[in-house]
Amino acid sequence: MAFPVPPLLLLLLLTALLVIAVTRLWDYVLVRLVWRPYAITKGFREQGIHGPSYSFFKGCNEEIRIMKENTDGLVLDVGDHKYLPRIAPHYLKWRAQYGEPFLYWYGPQARICIFDYELARQILSSKSGHFVKNDAHPTLLALVGKGLGFMEGADWVRHRRVINPVFTIDKLKIVTETMLDFAQNMASELEAEASRNEKAETKVDINKHFSDLTVDNIAYAIFGNSYRLGKQVFEAQTEMLGITMATFLDVPIPGFKYLPTEANRRKWMLERKLKSLLRQIIQPRLASGEYGNDLLGVMLDSSTEAKQGRKQVDGLSLSMEEIIHECKLFFFAGHENTALLLTWSVYLLSIYPEWQERLRKEVFREFGREAPNPNALNKLKEMTMVLFETLRLYSPALFMQRKTLADMTVGSIKLPKGTAIVIPIPIMHRDKDAWGDDADEFNPMRFENGISGAAKVPHGLLAFSMGPRNCIGQNFSMLEAKSTLALMLQKFSFALSHDYIGFMWTMTAFD
Ligand code: HEM
């Protein structure tokens, strides 16, 4: 039976709701979208920091979109490594116009773009907890899950401690055996194609092959024997990536993610699919109590369910929801970057054949025609130098972002709470003061004495970041790249295809 609400109470209720709505709107429109941008711009101007002006709500997003559209089709000559105007035209233009650092606006969020290594070091290695990861776009979060890369404080420590053991060198050497098997399968496919040609040649889109290979590798590292089912997670993620990219420069509007737009409904459907696939993999393991020693197994072993009944609870447990987020994140973070590293390495080895030959000699010296030995991959010194130089010239990660949790001072810059800081990795990798006059050239010799001696600053190479939030998968990635390249060098010589567009290569199989 429904009770009638007295009219006065109803009136009070409606008035309260109206007051809340007006206060929220006031805060959002007037404070966040008008007053704060004005005050922040003024504060930075007084410090001598300038930048493009703020447009209501959109910030500089339209300007960025137009600049990117204009440079999208930019074609470079083979061997010209100056691709930055194509991928980061806005950073280059604003740096030339306003100096370093400069202020710009992503929607209503102030962003300071820094280029100085010492400032970057202070921010990335800070343990104060005052520089946190910047807010991720809601579509990106739906895609990759709120895992390790997006956590802070005690939650981040707990997750990193549970996951770290999977990435110890000893564990990784075991995983490398499987990486070599997958690489061998890829090589056999290419050899079979080449054998049908009288010159033993085959023309391939090598990036596609490396993409498939790195998906297999990360699927196996996370899901072990269930990796085939795990790969369907990847297919759903790839579709979601399309939606993410299309909305990347759209300013997130509060509440918009709940509206049943076509893109949102598609996103929700894919999210449900991702979850259900992951549950299909997880449930049988939980039921059998056989967790496995892959990443998922290690996380399940730590899970709250697994710990029930155990006497000691060590505070190192992940909930099922957290495990699902981590699977999504690791799948996303763990393949495309390495595929790019491999593709750009093969590109550079194709246009610098003397280095291709040097690396091949090194591989034959170490392994002869035998399958590369995971325990000896670290002896491939020249290959490591080439991989580092590839990461420097063609860093797969384009920038890192942090946000201040309180008013902070870095160097001489006063940053108000909530300011985002952008660290543009590939631009810093071309800094002539840090890397010398040949910063735009391919010169693996600069890494002859390792990373720390390569630049005039101690942490010049930022491809895997530095400090506590550095890339947890960097050793995994380097072993994956080394094992694949070693096998490819033993079996093929490679050159850019004559009608080279995008990523076409001619691979010639050795007999
Ligand atoms: C060439 C390959 C790779 C590159 C260039 C790369 C780059 C990076 C960078 C720059 C960061 C720091 C991001 C930031 O501070 O905002 C990072 C973090 C991370 N990477 Fe990688 N990555 C690679 C491979 C991998 C692989 C293979 C995995 C997993 C197996 C992985 C998992 C992660 C995770 C989970 C984080 C977040 C760590 C944390 O916040 O504690 N990455 N990566």
Side-chain angles (χ1 to χ4, degrees):
M1 189 176 128
F3 294 100
V5 182
L8 186 64
L9 188 63
L10 193 65
L11 193 68
L12 278 175
L13 213 66
L14 285 177
T15 315
L17 282 177
L18 197 67
V19 170
I20 293 172
V22 170
T23 320
R24 284 267 169 105
L25 205 66
W26 171 270
D27 179 62
Y28 184 68
V29 176
L30 278 172
V31 179
R32 265 200 78 192
L33 301 184
V34 179
W35 166 249
R36 211 188 286 159
Y38 166 77
I40 288 177
T41 307
K42 184 164 171 285
F44 278 117
R45 205 180 295 135
E46 282 163 11
Q47 299 183 58
I49 296 172
H50 303 273
S53 40
Y54 167 77
S55 293
F56 179 75
F57 183 66
K58 288 182 181 165
C60 306
N61 293 23
E62 270 318 297
E63 225 178 304
I64 300 175
R65 198 193 301 271
I66 292 167
M67 275 191 257
K68 286 205 164 186
E69 272 168 17
N70 288 342
T71 56
D72 230 14
L74 203 72
V75 179
L76 293 179
D77 287 339
V78 170
D80 181 352
H81 306 302
K82 296 190 188 127
Y83 64 92
L84 295 177
R86 177 172 172 160
I87 59 150
H90 48 313
Y91 293 151
L92 295 182
K93 179 180 173 214
W94 291 331
R95 179 170 68 166
Q97 205 170 341
Y98 304 107
E100 303 173 12
F102 62 77
L103 167 74
Y104 76 100
W105 296 87
Y106 177 82
Q109 188 188 42
R111 290 191 173 177
I112 285 284
C113 189
I114 63 163
F115 302 85
D116 181 88
Y117 268 104
E118 177 49 24
L119 290 183
R121 187 196 64 75
Q122 287 181 31
I123 292 162
L124 295 174
S125 58
S126 166
K127 292 188 179 146
S128 69
H130 288 136
F131 293 107
V132 294
K133 291 283 179 94
N134 193 20
D135 312 320
H137 198 286
T139 320
L140 180 70
L141 269 189
L143 171 68
V144 300
K146 195 172 177 348
L148 192 62
F150 298 97
M151 310 195 124
E152 299 298 336
D155 277 342
W156 172 75
V157 174
R158 180 169 51 90
H159 279 240
R160 188 118 184 177
R161 282 177 63 196
V162 168
I163 294 166
N164 257 338
V166 180
F167 292 95
T168 57
I169 285 293
D170 284 348
K171 277 272 170 71
L172 288 180
K173 279 181 186 152
I174 301 170
V175 176
T176 313
E177 303 269 2
T178 320
M179 289 176 177
L180 279 162
D181 288 346
F182 283 129
Q184 178 59 58
N185 292 346
M186 181 187 81
S188 302
E189 227 178 85
L190 296 178
E191 277 177 322
E193 277 174 33
S195 71
R196 290 194 280 275
N197 173 290
E198 60 184 27
K199 290 189 198 152
E201 279 181 5
T202 178
K203 207 196 274 184
V204 293
D205 173 350
I206 201 70
N207 186 241
K208 165 88 181 61
H209 285 275
F210 286 150
S211 233
D212 292 346
L213 175 73
T214 52
V215 167
D216 278 340
N217 282 334
I218 193 67
Y220 194 83
I222 304 176
F223 303 115
N225 290 332
S226 346
Y227 83 96
R228 284 205 177 78
L229 196 52
K231 276 173 69 175
Q232 292 182 31
V233 173
F234 160 72
E235 278 147 27
Q237 267 188 329
T238 309
E239 197 178 330
M240 229 149 132
L241 182 64
I243 304 177
T244 310
M245 295 313 280
T247 56
F248 222 61
L249 281 172
D250 294 349
V251 183
I253 301 172
F256 188 77
K257 64 179 175 184
Y258 303 109
L259 295 183
T261 60
E262 201 185 325
N264 278 346
R265 277 185 284 126
R266 185 90 199 122
K267 202 174 75 185
W268 296 333
M269 193 280 285
L270 289 168
E271 269 179 85
R272 281 196 300 275
K273 187 170 167 189
L274 276 172
K275 263 196 178 171
S276 127
L277 280 167
L278 289 167
R279 283 188 197 283
Q280 277 180 59
I281 300 173
I282 291 171
Q283 285 309 337
R285 292 204 198 184
L286 274 182
S288 69
E290 301 277 328
Y291 301 131
N293 57 4
D294 44 44
L295 174 63
L296 177 61
V298 169
M299 292 195 291
L300 285 177
D301 191 46
S302 86
S303 73
T304 324
E305 279 88 334
K307 285 194 163 167
Q308 274 168 8
R310 285 192 204 166
K311 282 191 185 136
Q312 277 198 333
V313 176
D314 50 14
L316 281 186
S317 55
L318 303 186
S319 70
M320 208 45 64
E321 193 65 13
E322 288 176 322
I323 291 175
I324 287 178
H325 279 292
E326 288 302 356
C327 288
K328 280 161 74 178
L329 175 72
F330 271 83
F331 220 109
F332 186 79
H335 69 91
E336 197 55 34
N337 282 343
T338 318
L340 285 173
L341 168 60
L342 276 164
T343 302
W344 286 119
S345 308
V346 167
Y347 169 79
L348 290 166
L349 293 177
S350 301
I351 59 175
Y352 300 102
E354 65 283 11
W355 275 99
Q356 185 179 147
E357 215 33 58
R358 268 175 91 152
L359 295 203
R360 187 168 292 111
K361 278 195 183 131
E362 189 183 44
V363 171
F364 278 126
R365 208 163 47 236
E366 209 51 60
F367 306 119
R369 286 189 175 266
E370 298 295 309
N373 172 357
N375 292 311
L377 284 171
N378 279 342
K379 292 190 191 156
L380 299 175
K381 184 179 169 200
E382 295 198 332
M383 186 183 286
T384 310
M385 286 156 49
V386 167
L387 287 171
F388 285 156
E389 181 66 343
T390 309
L391 285 167
R392 185 187 72 82
L393 277 177
Y394 292 92
S395 168
L398 298 182
F399 50 75
M400 287 176 279
Q401 291 182 20
R402 296 292 183 271
K403 186 179 80 171
T404 50
L405 268 194
D407 291 351
M408 300 282 299
T409 301
V410 190
S412 58
I413 310 173
K414 293 193 191 95
L415 298 165
K417 177 181 169 184
T419 312
I421 302 147
V422 176
I423 302 171
I425 306 173
I427 299 186
M428 293 177 67
H429 282 175
R430 305 298 180 93
D431 179 345
K432 293 202 160 92
D433 288 338
W435 294 97
D437 288 341
D438 66 348
D440 285 321
E441 306 301 324
F442 175 71
N443 174 16
M445 289 312 290
R446 69 178 93 241
F447 287 101
E448 198 179 8
N449 298 315
I451 291 186
S452 52
K456 288 175 195 144
V457 290
H459 296 284
L461 191 69
L462 291 174
F464 291 120
S465 187
M466 60 171 293
R469 303 299 297 256
N470 69 0
C471 176
I472 197 171
Q474 55 188 292
N475 290 330
F476 179 98
S477 190
M478 289 297 283
L479 281 171
E480 189 176 8
K482 282 181 195 172
S483 50
T484 309
L485 272 187
L487 210 94
M488 298 288 286
L489 285 158
Q490 280 177 323
K491 293 180 181 295
F492 303 96
S493 75
F494 29 88
L496 287 182
S497 181
H498 292 304
D499 49 357
Y500 165 73
I501 312 168
F503 290 115
M504 293 308 285
W505 267 265
T506 304
M507 319 292 288
T508 311
F510 297 130
D511 43 51

Short mmCIF file of all heavy atoms in Angstrom, two decimals, residues 9 22 28 30 47 55 60 81 107 142 173 205 347 351 380 401 420 451 464 477 485 495:
data_model
loop_
_atom_site.label_atom_id
_atom_site.label_comp_id
_atom_site.label_asym_id
_atom_site.label_seq_id
_atom_site.Cartn_x
_atom_site.Cartn_y
_atom_site.Cartn_z
N LEU A 9 6.13 18.37 2.30
CA LEU A 9 7.35 17.56 2.26
C LEU A 9 7.87 17.44 0.82
O LEU A 9 9.06 17.56 0.54
CB LEU A 9 7.07 16.17 2.85
CG LEU A 9 8.29 15.29 3.06
CD1 LEU A 9 9.24 15.93 4.08
CD2 LEU A 9 7.87 13.91 3.54
N VAL A 22 21.43 23.22 -8.82
CA VAL A 22 21.96 24.55 -9.16
C VAL A 22 23.40 24.69 -8.65
O VAL A 22 24.27 25.19 -9.36
CB VAL A 22 21.05 25.67 -8.57
CG1 VAL A 22 21.72 27.03 -8.69
CG2 VAL A 22 19.71 25.67 -9.29
N TYR A 28 30.14 23.38 -11.77
CA TYR A 28 30.68 22.83 -13.01
C TYR A 28 30.88 23.91 -14.07
O TYR A 28 31.96 24.06 -14.63
CB TYR A 28 29.77 21.72 -13.54
CG TYR A 28 30.35 21.06 -14.77
CD1 TYR A 28 31.51 20.28 -14.67
CD2 TYR A 28 29.80 21.25 -16.03
CE1 TYR A 28 32.08 19.70 -15.79
CE2 TYR A 28 30.37 20.68 -17.16
CZ TYR A 28 31.51 19.90 -17.03
OH TYR A 28 32.07 19.34 -18.14
N LEU A 30 30.37 27.50 -13.92
CA LEU A 30 31.05 28.76 -13.65
C LEU A 30 32.44 28.58 -13.05
O LEU A 30 33.40 29.22 -13.45
CB LEU A 30 30.19 29.63 -12.75
CG LEU A 30 29.13 30.39 -13.56
CD1 LEU A 30 28.17 31.10 -12.66
CD2 LEU A 30 29.79 31.38 -14.51
N GLN A 47 54.08 33.56 -13.83
CA GLN A 47 55.36 32.83 -13.70
C GLN A 47 56.13 32.82 -15.02
O GLN A 47 57.13 32.13 -15.16
CB GLN A 47 55.11 31.38 -13.32
CG GLN A 47 54.39 31.17 -12.00
CD GLN A 47 54.27 29.67 -11.71
OE1 GLN A 47 55.27 28.95 -11.63
NE2 GLN A 47 53.05 29.20 -11.56
N SER A 55 39.50 27.74 -24.84
CA SER A 55 38.15 27.95 -25.39
C SER A 55 37.17 27.27 -24.46
O SER A 55 37.42 26.13 -24.03
CB SER A 55 38.00 27.29 -26.76
OG SER A 55 38.79 27.91 -27.68
N CYS A 60 41.76 23.29 -25.90
CA CYS A 60 42.48 23.40 -27.17
C CYS A 60 42.21 22.19 -28.06
O CYS A 60 42.91 21.97 -29.05
CB CYS A 60 43.99 23.49 -26.91
SG CYS A 60 44.44 24.81 -25.79
N HIS A 81 64.17 10.15 -39.94
CA HIS A 81 63.51 9.77 -38.68
C HIS A 81 62.76 10.94 -38.04
O HIS A 81 62.34 10.84 -36.90
CB HIS A 81 64.56 9.23 -37.70
CG HIS A 81 65.37 8.11 -38.27
ND1 HIS A 81 64.78 6.96 -38.73
CD2 HIS A 81 66.70 7.98 -38.48
CE1 HIS A 81 65.73 6.16 -39.21
NE2 HIS A 81 66.90 6.76 -39.08
N GLY A 107 40.20 20.08 -22.90
CA GLY A 107 38.91 20.48 -22.33
C GLY A 107 39.20 21.51 -21.25
O GLY A 107 40.06 22.38 -21.40
N ALA A 142 37.31 1.82 -19.70
CA ALA A 142 36.46 0.67 -20.01
C ALA A 142 37.26 -0.33 -20.83
O ALA A 142 37.12 -1.55 -20.69
CB ALA A 142 35.23 1.13 -20.79
N LYS A 173 62.37 -16.50 -17.94
CA LYS A 173 63.13 -17.42 -18.81
C LYS A 173 62.26 -18.61 -19.21
O LYS A 173 62.35 -19.13 -20.32
CB LYS A 173 64.39 -17.88 -18.10
CG LYS A 173 65.48 -16.82 -18.23
CD LYS A 173 66.76 -17.22 -17.58
CE LYS A 173 67.74 -16.06 -17.64
NZ LYS A 173 68.68 -16.11 -16.52
N ASP A 205 53.51 -8.15 -44.61
CA ASP A 205 53.21 -7.01 -43.72
C ASP A 205 53.71 -7.47 -42.34
O ASP A 205 52.99 -8.13 -41.60
CB ASP A 205 51.70 -6.76 -43.71
CG ASP A 205 51.30 -5.71 -42.70
OD1 ASP A 205 52.15 -5.32 -41.88
OD2 ASP A 205 50.14 -5.28 -42.74
N TYR A 347 62.54 -2.50 -39.30
CA TYR A 347 62.62 -1.36 -40.24
C TYR A 347 64.05 -0.80 -40.24
O TYR A 347 64.68 -0.63 -41.29
CB TYR A 347 61.62 -0.29 -39.82
CG TYR A 347 61.78 1.04 -40.52
CD1 TYR A 347 61.30 1.23 -41.81
CD2 TYR A 347 62.41 2.12 -39.89
CE1 TYR A 347 61.45 2.45 -42.45
CE2 TYR A 347 62.56 3.34 -40.52
CZ TYR A 347 62.09 3.50 -41.81
OH TYR A 347 62.24 4.71 -42.44
N ILE A 351 67.04 -0.71 -43.21
CA ILE A 351 67.66 0.43 -43.88
C ILE A 351 69.12 0.64 -43.46
O ILE A 351 69.82 1.45 -44.03
CB ILE A 351 66.83 1.74 -43.73
CG1 ILE A 351 66.64 2.12 -42.27
CG2 ILE A 351 65.49 1.61 -44.40
CD1 ILE A 351 65.93 3.45 -42.11
N LEU A 380 73.45 -11.04 -25.93
CA LEU A 380 73.39 -10.37 -27.24
C LEU A 380 73.49 -8.85 -27.03
O LEU A 380 72.51 -8.13 -27.05
CB LEU A 380 72.09 -10.73 -27.96
CG LEU A 380 71.88 -12.22 -28.26
CD1 LEU A 380 70.51 -12.47 -28.85
CD2 LEU A 380 72.98 -12.74 -29.21
N GLN A 401 51.61 10.99 -18.33
CA GLN A 401 50.89 12.10 -17.70
C GLN A 401 50.77 11.88 -16.21
O GLN A 401 50.55 10.76 -15.75
CB GLN A 401 49.47 12.19 -18.25
CG GLN A 401 49.40 12.62 -19.68
CD GLN A 401 47.97 12.74 -20.14
OE1 GLN A 401 47.06 12.85 -19.35
NE2 GLN A 401 47.79 12.72 -21.44
N ALA A 420 47.54 18.93 -14.83
CA ALA A 420 48.15 17.73 -15.42
C ALA A 420 49.52 18.10 -15.98
O ALA A 420 49.73 19.23 -16.42
CB ALA A 420 47.26 17.20 -16.53
N ILE A 451 72.47 1.90 -20.65
CA ILE A 451 71.53 3.02 -20.73
C ILE A 451 72.09 4.24 -20.01
O ILE A 451 72.00 5.37 -20.50
CB ILE A 451 70.17 2.64 -20.10
CG1 ILE A 451 69.45 1.61 -20.96
CG2 ILE A 451 69.29 3.87 -19.92
CD1 ILE A 451 68.07 1.27 -20.52
N PHE A 464 60.52 3.14 -21.15
CA PHE A 464 59.82 2.32 -20.15
C PHE A 464 59.56 3.14 -18.88
O PHE A 464 59.32 2.58 -17.81
CB PHE A 464 60.65 1.09 -19.77
CG PHE A 464 60.78 0.07 -20.88
CD1 PHE A 464 62.03 -0.27 -21.40
CD2 PHE A 464 59.67 -0.58 -21.38
CE1 PHE A 464 62.16 -1.23 -22.40
CE2 PHE A 464 59.79 -1.53 -22.38
CZ PHE A 464 61.04 -1.86 -22.90
N SER A 477 59.21 -7.75 -22.27
CA SER A 477 59.22 -7.20 -23.61
C SER A 477 60.58 -7.36 -24.29
O SER A 477 60.66 -7.73 -25.47
CB SER A 477 58.86 -5.73 -23.47
OG SER A 477 58.63 -5.18 -24.68
N LEU A 485 63.76 -11.62 -32.65
CA LEU A 485 64.74 -11.10 -33.62
C LEU A 485 65.85 -12.11 -33.87
O LEU A 485 66.28 -12.28 -35.01
CB LEU A 485 65.37 -9.80 -33.09
CG LEU A 485 64.67 -8.49 -33.41
CD1 LEU A 485 65.53 -7.33 -32.96
CD2 LEU A 485 64.37 -8.38 -34.90
N ALA A 495 64.53 -6.85 -46.15
CA ALA A 495 64.72 -5.53 -46.78
C ALA A 495 63.34 -4.92 -46.97
O ALA A 495 62.35 -5.64 -47.07
CB ALA A 495 65.39 -5.71 -48.13
#
